Amino acid sequence: MTDIQFETVADGLRFPEGPIAMKDGSIILVEIERRTISRIQPDGRTEILAQIEGGPNGAAIGPDGALYICNNGGFNWHESDQTGLRPHGQATDYSGGRIERLCLETGELTVLYTASDKAPLKGPNDIVFDKNGGFYFTDHGKVRAREMDRGAVCYATIDGASIREIIYPIMSPNGVGLSPDGKTLYVAETFTCRLWAFDVTGPGQLALQPWPQSPNGGRFVAGLGGYRGFDSLAVDADGNICVATIYSGEISVISPDGSSVEMIPCPDPFATNICFGGPDLMTAYVTMSSTGALMKARWPHAGLPLEFER
């Protein structure tokens, strides 16, 4: 891949995540520590669209034009001049995991789900819509002083009437995305730094592989060694999975069969998420969370158009 040069779109953000490239050229994202939904204009101006209690994390535009938000319930935070800002376990004022809907026209916020059909939501993290208008999301769980939750992946509808746990257990699931044909669901695990693929047989329906062939029902795609963790992801138009890779500060570009893994260095150890925008979808926007910046770069491959952000 050609040399990638990042430039700053906006700074002074408080752990930005969940970027969405809008048709007007702006970027909507969450600021997890500030607990806001924010809009970044192309000139870097920042507007707060909503104050969201807890921990707004992943976000996506739904078929009705509203913003659907994975709320992780909140983190405690550590900040220093040496390492910047980073989450530090479950918040003292943790308010529970949930899925929320924000009307971008009126600012009305609605809680859609606080539990799946199996258990309370603990730390919803990332979200992707399918062509049917339903959405997959990861429940990363929460980390406490001497214990951590087992994660899950769920499928839900925007009317608040149906939510199903479809993958459990899975270790620290974070990024989630669909292949260009919608037949493969990708899930990235943070703490194992592994990418998994699941065969989609219908809306929210997966063909799971049995244990011990698979620990979670998925097919192993790729994993990285060293002190790295997989965060959120985006899929490009060629089907490559671009996974934001934290601690080492990179974007890992992984082929669908895992045979090729290319590392793109980023200027922040907490490069947490990537989305594609611009008229040709060849501008990559990356949240550099510990330093509080949204950055962009010209990307050699176009991003995959998301179902309701076309």
Side-chain angles (χ1 to χ4, degrees):
M1 187 173 286
T2 56
D3 186 35
I4 304 295
Q5 299 294 323
F6 288 97
E7 61 179 284
T8 300
V9 178
D11 54 19
L13 307 174
R14 300 294 292 176
F15 214 87
E17 246 268 43
I20 302 167
M22 305 297 288
K23 294 177 181 178
D24 64 0
S26 68
I27 302 294
I28 290 179
L29 49 72
V30 308
E31 295 184 65
I32 303 180
E33 193 269 350
R34 188 175 280 155
R35 300 182 176 186
T36 62
I37 307 298
S38 304
R39 186 191 295 271
I40 312 298
Q41 298 294 345
D43 63 2
R45 289 181 295 117
T46 302
E47 171 192 5
I48 293 177
L49 300 181
Q51 192 78 40
I52 308 288
E53 292 307 309
N57 209 146
I61 301 294
D64 56 354
L67 187 71
Y68 289 81
I69 304 161
C70 290
N71 194 315
N72 65 44
F75 294 124
N76 285 330
W77 296 91
H78 175 83
E79 188 169 16
S80 72
D81 293 339
Q82 291 74 34
T83 61
L85 182 66
R86 59 182 173 86
H88 188 61
Q90 180 174 301
T92 304
D93 62 349
Y94 172 65
S95 55
R98 52 199 183 269
I99 301 296
E100 296 171 315
R101 176 189 185 273
L102 176 68
C103 177
L104 293 174
E105 295 179 355
T106 67
E108 180 183 6
L109 183 69
T110 305
V111 176
L112 289 183
Y113 301 104
T114 59
S116 72
D117 59 334
K118 299 294 185 182
L121 301 178
K122 296 296 184 69
N125 189 291
D126 200 11
I127 178 173
V128 65
F129 277 90
D130 65 12
K131 64 182 180 181
N132 300 288
F135 59 92
Y136 298 88
F137 71 92
T138 53
D139 188 345
H140 183 82
K142 303 298 282 188
V143 176
R144 295 168 291 277
R146 294 184 178 272
E147 59 183 6
M148 62 181 290
D149 298 316
R150 303 176 86 185
V153 178
C154 298
Y155 183 81
T157 56
I158 65 171
D159 58 4
S162 176
I163 181 172
R164 292 182 292 108
E165 182 182 270
I166 58 173
I167 302 170
Y168 179 86
I170 181 169
M171 173 64 74
S172 59
N174 195 318
V176 63
L178 287 163
S179 60
D181 62 7
K183 294 182 179 180
T184 304
L185 181 75
Y186 295 107
V187 180
E189 293 180 329
T190 299
F191 300 135
T192 66
C193 205
R194 290 179 176 177
L195 179 66
W196 298 90
F198 298 81
D199 295 328
V200 178
T201 59
Q205 302 288 337
L206 304 178
L208 299 177
Q209 298 191 26
W211 186 92
Q213 185 176 341
S214 170
N216 52 37
R219 290 180 285 107
F220 176 73
V221 179
L224 299 180
Y227 187 48
R228 293 182 171 99
F230 279 159
D231 208 292
S232 296
L233 63 84
V235 178
D236 71 22
D238 295 329
N240 299 305
I241 306 94
C242 305
V243 190
T245 305
I246 56 175
Y247 314 137
S248 59
E250 297 161 305
I251 302 295
S252 304
V253 182
I254 303 170
S255 63
D257 63 2
S259 62
S260 172
V261 180
E262 192 163 8
M263 311 303 294
I264 309 302
C266 295
D268 188 319
F270 273 86
T272 57
N273 208 333
I274 178 173
C275 74
F276 295 99
D280 56 4
L281 292 180
M282 292 186 71
T283 300
Y285 293 90
V286 179
T287 48
M288 309 293 184
S289 296
S290 69
T291 54
L294 173 69
M295 303 188 81
K296 68 178 182 179
R298 189 68 177 169
W299 211 253
H301 303 284
L304 178 67
L306 297 176
E307 288 297 336
F308 305 107
E309 298 169 21
R310 298 174 188 268

